[in-house]
Amino acid sequence: MQKAYYYIANWKMYFSYLQAIAWYNDNKNQLQQLADASAALIICPSYDSLAYIAQLTKSSPVLLGAQNCSEHLQGAFTGQISAQSLKEIGINYCIIGHSEVRTACQDTNKQLKQKLQHLIEQNIIPLFCIGESLEEYHTSTTHRSLEKQLEPIFELLNNRSISTPFFIAYEPLWAIGTGVVAHNEHIISVLAAVKKIMKTCKEFHQFRFLYGGTVTSGTISELKKIENLDGFLIGKASTDFQELKKIVL
Ligand code: PGA
C-alpha cells in the first residue's frame, strides 16, 4: 500500500477570491478521494477566501490552513490577521516563515517565535518553513543557515509540551517556483541535520517533516523515494487539480 503523506497546497496569491471558491466548488467531490489517500490534505488559500471556504469545507475531509498570521495578539496593526481570528473562522493549520513572507515582511526570529506562540495557544498547527538561499547552497553553509532559522522552534519547544503535531517544511529558496527541484541526497542530508538539531526537544515525536520547492507531477515520484519524509508543500502545481491529483495518487 502507498504511504499516506501530508499534502499542503499553498495557493499563494494565484487565485482571486471568486476563483478560489470556484476551484473548490468545481473539485469538491474529487477532493474527497485525494483526502482519503492522504495523511491529510490541507489547502491554504489567501486570507480573502479563507472564511468562505472554511464554511464550504465544514463537513469535508479537506483541511484548511492560512499562509501567515500576525505576531501580535490584537491592536493597531493595519493589514494583519491574528491567530485568534484564524481559529474563530475554523482554521487549524498555518504556514509560518515562508521565504516569500520573510522577504516581503523581513520577519525576525523573535517575530516568528511570537507567531508560533500565538498559534500554539490557539491550537493551530504550525507549518514552519526553512530553507537556504542559492548562495548558501553554493558556499556549503546550508546547515548553518537552517540551524539559525530553527531557533524560534527550538527556543519555544525545547522544554514545552505540545499536544498536536508540528510541521517543519524544508524549502530551498532556489527550488521555489524555479522548476529546479533539490536532489534527494541533498534533502536527505538536510533532514538528518534538522532532526539532529531538534531531537533534544521534549516533544520530538510531534515533528513532521515536509519538502517543498517545485513539487510537481514530474518530480514527485523521485521525492517519494526519500524515507522519513512525511509530506509535501506544493505551490503552483496545487492550483491545477489534475496536477494535484497526480501528485497525491
Ligand atoms: P512551488 O512553491 O511548488 O511553486 O515551487 C512551493 C512553495 O513556495 O511553498
Side-chain angles (χ1 to χ4, degrees), residues 10 12 14 98 100 171 175-177 213-215 233-236:
N10 177 10
K12 308 191 181 190
Y14 284 117
H98 190 283
E100 286 156 9
E171 298 203 296
I176 296 177
T214 305
V215 176
L233 190 48
I234 314 153
K236 179 79 177 142

Side-chain angles (χ1 to χ4, degrees), residues 143-195:
H143 292 193
R144 203 186 312 151
S145 168
L146 298 183
E147 189 168 358
K148 184 97 197 121
Q149 293 173 51
L150 287 166
E151 277 173 9
I153 314 179
F154 195 78
E155 286 172 16
L156 205 63
L157 299 184
N158 191 20
N159 277 313
R160 178 183 180 144
S161 299
I162 40 168
S163 53
T164 55
F166 187 113
F167 289 80
I168 298 178
Y170 169 56
E171 298 203 296
L173 273 55
W174 45 271
I176 296 177
T178 58
V180 178
V181 68
H183 285 131
N184 283 9
E185 307 82 73
H186 179 70
I187 301 171
I188 290 166
S189 111
V190 165
L191 275 180
V194 169
K195 288 185 185 188

Side-chain angles (χ1 to χ4, degrees), residues 93-94 96 116 119-120 124-128 164-168:
Y93 295 83
C94 184
I96 288 296
L116 286 177
L119 291 176
I120 289 170
I124 296 175
I125 299 174
L127 305 154
F128 190 87
T164 55
F166 187 113
F167 289 80
I168 298 178

